Amino acid sequence: MKINGLKKHILMALAVCVVTSSVLAGCGSKSEDSAASVSSSGSQAVASESAPAPTGEPVTIKYMVFSTEANDSYTKLDLVGSFKKVKPNITVEIEKVKDSGEFENALKIRKAANELPDIMPMKAYMLADFKDALAPLNDIEAAKINMYADKFAIDGNILGVPECMFNEFVWYKKSIFQEYNLQVPKTWDEFINVCNTIKAGNKYIPILMGGKDAWPDYPFNEYMPALEANDGAIWNTMAGMDEPFSKDKPFYIAYSKIQKLYDAKPFGSDPLGAGFDQVKTMFGSKGAMIAAGAWFLGDAKKAVSDTNDIGTFFLPVKNSTSDKLNTITTVDGFFATPKDGKNLEASKEFINFLFSKDFYSAYMKDRGLVSVVKDLKVELDPVLQQAYDAEPDVNFVVYDGGNSDFQKIQAATKFDVKKMGQEMMAGKNLDKMMEDLNKAWKAARASK
């Protein structure tokens, strides 16, 4: 996987999307104008879906979705019906699975049975894991107009077309902050102090977690080592080290900060007792904050009756207000299709449609995500814009999910940062965890 120059492209695209005044018209739902208007600079997007193609033989393609937010947006924007108008012979069946973990497990099982779904929104690291089963997409229009598809090519082949990029935020209720006379925290210690103040009031849960599902702790346990090191490829860096969990290394330093937060017990009396779907609705009532990416925008607006009461800020991982703040940027949602699939051409048509200017603009706007289509500018949602306004000089750290060397060590050591987060919340000793990991990591590298 090649990532040279990716950070430069990310920064340029974010700058355009944050500060541009030449933006698309509103497009939040089907009840509004049929889709977002597109500026003249958006002419490179895949052709609009206004002209149906000639009808061919009936085909049904399967699209496996793990994101509840994406699925909700597809329903709101009538993805299936809109595509049917353009390609009347192609029927799309959406299969919703619980989360990314269940999605990945299902793909592994179906790959072994040669029954992969036609459309798969993969994570970047999955492309390498499934590369032998995926069809090259270099020739489709969606790949040609995408700013980052070729940056993640494997052996010269584009195996997945990335859907979007996004940042991570802390979402908070302004009314609760006002009730306790709190300001948006600028450092890690200030962040913990905010949690302690809210907790002491005994009315609200400072941070909603949903730790019964392992994945919701990812803004802390997965991303903070990269932020501490200012190294989006930290997993690859660690793959070249024998003892990357020592006290003087970024991983341990980051996890010491995380432990300090977890020791403050800001997640309520039973942080591992409920899953994310259970706690996210509490953001409108008992929850003061929640750490999540831009993808949480729809859920936040559902949970809070007054959108003006929703604030955002970047996770304040820095030690001093004079330090520059690092925040994660992720290129995500790589649409892929199996090379041996019976519906390869229909699948390519569907991927192209996902990036057609009318549908794609409406979807980006509804989800609060940043466009990765060349010259297609989508206005950032005002709720998200608050974070950029509060920290205009933030440093974007482009996250890499780990190369093949890292993945081999990860498999050998059963290294799972999200599970580690659960164990830390349950009280497991951090130093013992780090000592055990150093031993296992060194042994795994020696046996390569």
Side-chain angles (χ1 to χ4, degrees):
M1 181 183 303
K2 51 179 188 174
I3 59 172
N4 290 340
L6 179 57
K7 184 169 183 177
K8 176 181 177 182
H9 285 284
I10 293 278
L11 293 174
M12 291 175 64
L14 282 168
V16 167
C17 292
V18 172
V19 305
T20 181
S21 60
S22 176
V23 295
L24 305 176
C27 53
S29 70
K30 291 187 293 180
S31 63
E32 299 176 22
D33 293 341
S34 60
S37 301
V38 181
S39 66
S40 59
S41 63
S43 59
Q44 292 187 44
V46 177
S48 175
E49 56 268 33
S50 59
T55 302
E57 290 297 319
V59 173
T60 297
I61 59 176
K62 310 281 188 178
Y63 177 16
M64 184 183 285
V65 177
F66 63 82
S67 167
T68 299
E69 297 74 28
N71 194 52
D72 289 348
S73 191
Y74 290 155
T75 300
K76 180 189 294 186
L77 300 174
D78 190 21
L79 167 62
V80 173
S82 298
F83 181 61
K84 190 75 170 176
K85 291 178 182 177
V86 181
K87 296 291 179 181
N89 64 307
I90 305 176
T91 299
V92 179
E93 292 184 356
I94 294 178
E95 177 187 355
K96 175 70 173 67
V97 296
K98 180 184 176 184
D99 54 33
S100 59
E102 184 175 307
F103 172 76
E104 186 172 2
N105 289 335
L107 291 188
K108 290 176 180 177
I109 294 170
R110 296 189 191 190
K111 179 186 177 184
N114 198 28
E115 294 179 354
L116 285 170
D118 297 292
I119 306 294
M120 301 165 283
M122 292 182 156
K123 298 293 184 181
Y125 70 87
M126 294 181 189
L127 298 178
D129 290 347
F130 289 84
K131 66 178 182 179
D132 294 336
L134 302 180
L137 300 174
N138 304 50
D139 61 331
I140 71 171
E141 189 64 18
K144 294 175 182 177
I145 63 170
N146 197 286
M147 290 188 286
Y148 306 110
D150 62 342
K151 306 297 185 298
F152 290 86
I154 298 175
D155 299 328
N157 288 320
I158 295 172
L159 301 179
V161 182
E163 175 187 66
C164 64
M165 57 186 178
F166 60 87
N167 291 122
E168 296 292 322
F169 305 93
V170 177
W171 304 72
Y172 72 101
K173 290 284 295 301
K174 294 179 183 177
S175 56
I176 295 177
F177 271 48
Q178 290 168 359
E179 182 176 345
Y180 289 97
N181 196 29
L182 295 169
Q183 301 298 315
V184 169
K186 295 293 186 182
T187 67
W188 193 248
D189 284 342
E190 288 181 6
F191 182 53
I192 294 175
N193 287 338
V194 165
C195 292
N196 287 333
T197 299
I198 295 171
K199 181 181 175 183
N202 204 31
K203 288 177 63 178
Y204 309 104
I205 298 172
I207 303 176
L208 297 170
M209 173 56 76
K212 185 176 181 180
D213 299 320
W215 67 266
D217 62 33
Y218 79 91
F220 306 107
N221 289 85
E222 182 176 0
Y223 287 162
M224 279 185 59
L227 295 176
E228 187 67 34
N230 190 19
D231 179 8
I234 189 170
W235 307 133
N236 305 339
T237 302
M238 290 170 59
M241 304 167 64
D242 278 343
E243 296 183 335
F245 304 97
S246 301
K247 290 187 176 182
D248 60 338
K249 300 295 191 298
F251 191 96
Y252 186 98
I253 295 170
Y255 268 53
S256 295
K257 289 183 176 180
I258 297 169
Q259 189 65 68
K260 186 176 180 180
L261 174 69
Y262 288 2
D263 286 345
K265 301 187 183 305
F267 308 123
S269 59
D270 187 13
L272 303 177
F276 187 77
D277 284 344
Q278 293 171 273
V279 303
K280 68 182 182 181
T281 58
M282 296 168 61
F283 184 58
S285 53
K286 294 184 178 181
M289 295 181 284
I290 193 165
W295 52 265
F296 184 66
L297 180 64
D299 283 321
K301 290 183 176 181
K302 285 181 185 177
V304 180
S305 57
D306 180 7
T307 302
N308 293 322
D309 195 23
I310 305 173
T312 56
F313 59 88
F314 296 119
L315 191 67
V317 296
K318 60 185 181 180
N319 299 318
S320 168
T321 54
S322 61
D323 295 339
K324 192 163 187 173
L325 180 64
N326 293 335
T327 196
I328 288 289
T329 290
T330 302
V331 179
D332 201 26
F334 290 77
F335 291 110
T337 188
K339 66 180 181 182
D340 296 328
K342 297 177 182 179
N343 306 312
L344 181 57
E345 294 307 312
S347 297
K348 290 181 178 180
E349 293 279 7
F350 181 67
I351 293 173
N352 275 336
F353 178 81
L354 291 171
F355 291 90
S356 60
K357 64 182 181 181
D358 289 346
F359 180 80
Y360 184 75
S361 302
Y363 180 73
M364 288 293 102
K365 178 72 174 178
D366 188 60
R367 292 287 312 281
L369 303 173
V370 178
S371 168
V372 292
V373 171
K374 295 173 184 175
D375 299 322
L376 184 58
K377 305 169 185 177
V378 179
E379 180 182 14
L380 198 65
D381 189 280
V383 172
L384 303 179
Q385 184 65 48
Q386 296 174 74
Y388 298 93
D389 291 342
E391 199 78 43
D393 194 33
V394 67
N395 176 52
F396 297 107
V397 178
V398 183
Y399 183 70
D400 184 299
N403 59 19
S404 58
D405 287 342
F406 165 74
Q407 290 172 27
K408 290 175 184 176
I409 298 173
Q410 181 183 42
T413 58
K414 295 181 171 55
F415 177 60
D416 185 339
V417 289
K418 300 181 185 72
K419 183 179 178 181
M420 289 173 67
Q422 289 178 309
E423 292 172 342
M424 291 166 71
M425 282 182 258
K428 190 168 182 177
N429 182 270
L430 177 62
D431 286 338
K432 183 66 165 59
M433 292 170 70
M434 299 296 103
E435 289 172 9
D436 291 345
L437 274 171
N438 264 338
K439 292 176 183 177
W441 200 270
K442 187 173 183 178
R445 278 178 42 80
S447 65
K448 283 199 305 180

